[in-house]
Amino acid sequence: DMREMPDWNELYSIVGQIALAMNHNNWLVFEALRLVLNMSREDASSFFYSLKSDSAQRDFAMAIINDRLNASGQSALVSRLKTELNELGRLSGIRNGFIHTSWSADETKFVATHGTVPHPKIDWDDPIKQGKALIRELWEMSHRLIEICDEIELLSSPKK
């Protein structure tokens, strides 16, 4: 049987890339909120980052953005952001699986370390493939979040 041993460097790379991509998207949520509030990054970060979980930060940002943008007739933009943040919440569950799993390997594949509960969001048949797909999805989302931030910035910039 010539199956290959699991490639730890590939797993390390995937876990790191997932962390970076998720952090970038979480920062874009911060940016959207900051732009809606028309605040400096320093001022906005003092309260945004006092919320310790990413999901609390997303919920907080969405509540404020929802009120501010709906009040100015931007319901379509609010709807797009809500869709992205709901999806970001779903993807963060998979991210948590990759980040918090105690990884081990047998002769042919990655597994959860003996004695730990395998994370239910990990595709244990092919976590490498799943991780690569997650990285792609997160970066695609970041492009959509950047577009949303750009639109919010245009709304708040002074009219010429």
Side-chain angles (χ1 to χ4, degrees):
D1 188 2
M2 296 302 295
R3 284 185 289 188
E4 286 185 34
M5 294 284 293
D7 181 349
W8 280 100
N9 285 328
E10 186 174 30
L11 179 65
Y12 299 152
S13 173
I14 284 170
V15 170
Q17 288 180 69
I18 289 168
L20 291 171
M22 183 59 77
N23 290 348
H24 185 65
N25 282 318
N26 289 331
W27 179 78
L28 288 165
V29 173
F30 164 77
E31 273 296 278
L33 175 64
R34 170 188 93 71
L35 289 165
V36 163
L37 294 175
N38 203 16
M39 294 177 87
S40 71
R41 288 193 177 108
E42 295 72 24
D43 289 345
S45 68
S46 65
F47 59 82
F48 184 81
Y49 292 111
S50 69
L51 298 164
K52 294 305 178 203
S53 78
D54 296 342
S55 65
Q57 292 169 354
R58 282 192 301 273
D59 292 348
F60 176 76
M62 194 65 240
I64 293 172
I65 292 168
N66 183 58
D67 290 349
R68 291 285 176 103
L69 289 186
N70 274 327
S72 61
Q74 297 296 325
S75 59
L77 189 53
V78 169
S79 176
R80 281 169 51 213
L81 185 60
K82 267 186 188 158
T83 298
E84 295 301 336
L85 295 196
N86 287 339
E87 180 65 2
L88 189 56
R90 185 185 74 78
L91 295 177
S92 75
I94 304 168
R95 170 257 182 217
N96 290 345
F98 277 90
I99 300 292
H100 297 298
T101 286
S102 178
W103 291 93
S104 189
D106 61 21
E107 295 77 32
T108 61
K109 67 185 194 311
F110 289 108
V111 295
T113 302
H114 298 295
T116 65
V117 178
H119 197 285
K121 299 276 168 92
I122 298 290
D123 174 0
W124 290 103
D125 291 331
D126 197 346
I128 296 296
K129 180 179 173 191
Q130 181 190 26
K132 288 177 177 176
L134 177 59
I135 293 161
R136 245 187 339 273
E137 285 183 84
L138 288 168
W139 286 120
E140 287 166 4
M141 173 176 290
S142 78
H143 293 294
R144 295 189 301 272
L145 288 173
I146 288 167
E147 287 173 6
I148 290 169
C149 285
D150 287 347
E151 289 177 46
I152 292 170
E153 193 166 25
L154 286 173
L155 289 173
S156 62
S157 62
K159 304 290 180 273
K160 298 277 188 277

